[in-house]
Amino acid sequence: MATDGDVGICFDQEYQVRVLDAHKYEATQRLQQGCATLTDKVEQLNGLVRTYLDTLDKQAGKIEIEKLKAIGVRNAVATLEEDRKRKSKELHTQVDDKQQQLERLNVQEASLMRAKHDQEALIAKLTDSTAHNSD
């Protein structure tokens, strides 16, 4: 076997010429197999990560769509609330106007009733006085 600085040539069990001794060659072969296995596993992991990221992107897209839908619904609800408040104010204004109109009509009716009673009293008085004068 050669020292570290020298290149050693040896033969393996099958009488093949080797630059490394049998133990170093076997260790190198195991290391190569381990690297190949690691590379395969890293590639599998990369595939899984890509699949996971694609799934996350799809879910993010769905979440964004649902978020936009929720914003739209929230805006619609806010608009409905504003419309209800506006309609309520309009109805209260109409009720107040109708109440004022009712009060005016009640005052007018009372005035007309007094005028009617006054006229009926005058007619009755005139009828009585003409009846007394004709006797």
Side-chain angles (χ1 to χ4, degrees), residues 16-34:
Q16 297 281 331
V17 176
R18 302 285 179 203
V19 176
L20 296 174
D21 66 21
H23 295 294
K24 288 183 181 179
Y25 179 74
E26 288 173 8
T28 303
Q29 289 296 322
R30 285 193 307 271
L31 181 61
Q32 183 180 6
Q33 290 173 352

Side-chain angles (χ1 to χ4, degrees), residues 12-13 19 31 34 43 56 59 61 78 83 92 96 100 112 134:
D12 64 6
Q13 295 171 350
V19 176
L31 181 61
E43 287 175 0
L56 284 179
Q59 290 300 323
D83 288 346
H92 283 296
D96 290 342
Q100 289 175 357
L112 289 173
S134 58

Side-chain angles (χ1 to χ4, degrees), residues 44-103:
Q44 287 176 351
L45 179 62
N46 282 338
L48 289 173
V49 168
R50 269 187 241 112
T51 303
Y52 180 70
L53 290 176
D54 289 344
T55 303
L56 284 179
D57 286 342
K58 288 177 186 176
Q59 290 300 323
K62 289 178 183 178
I63 288 170
E64 189 65 27
I65 289 170
E66 292 301 318
K67 184 171 100 175
L68 292 174
K69 285 180 185 178
I71 289 171
V73 168
R74 182 179 64 199
N75 290 342
V77 167
T79 302
L80 285 175
E81 287 178 7
E82 290 172 6
D83 288 346
R84 285 183 184 153
K85 287 178 183 177
R86 182 184 47 78
K87 186 68 172 175
S88 176
K89 285 181 182 179
E90 287 176 8
L91 291 174
H92 283 296
T93 302
Q94 286 178 357
V95 167
D96 290 342
D97 290 345
K98 295 294 180 183
Q99 293 248 338
Q100 289 175 357
Q101 184 180 8
L102 178 63
E103 287 177 25

Side-chain angles (χ1 to χ4, degrees), residues 10 20 22 39 103 109:
C10 57
L20 296 174
T39 302
E103 287 177 25
E109 179 190 23

Side-chain angles (χ1 to χ4, degrees), residues 109-121:
E109 179 190 23
S111 174
L112 289 173
M113 291 300 282
R114 277 193 307 271
K116 178 183 172 189
H117 289 297
D118 290 345
Q119 288 177 356
E120 286 175 348

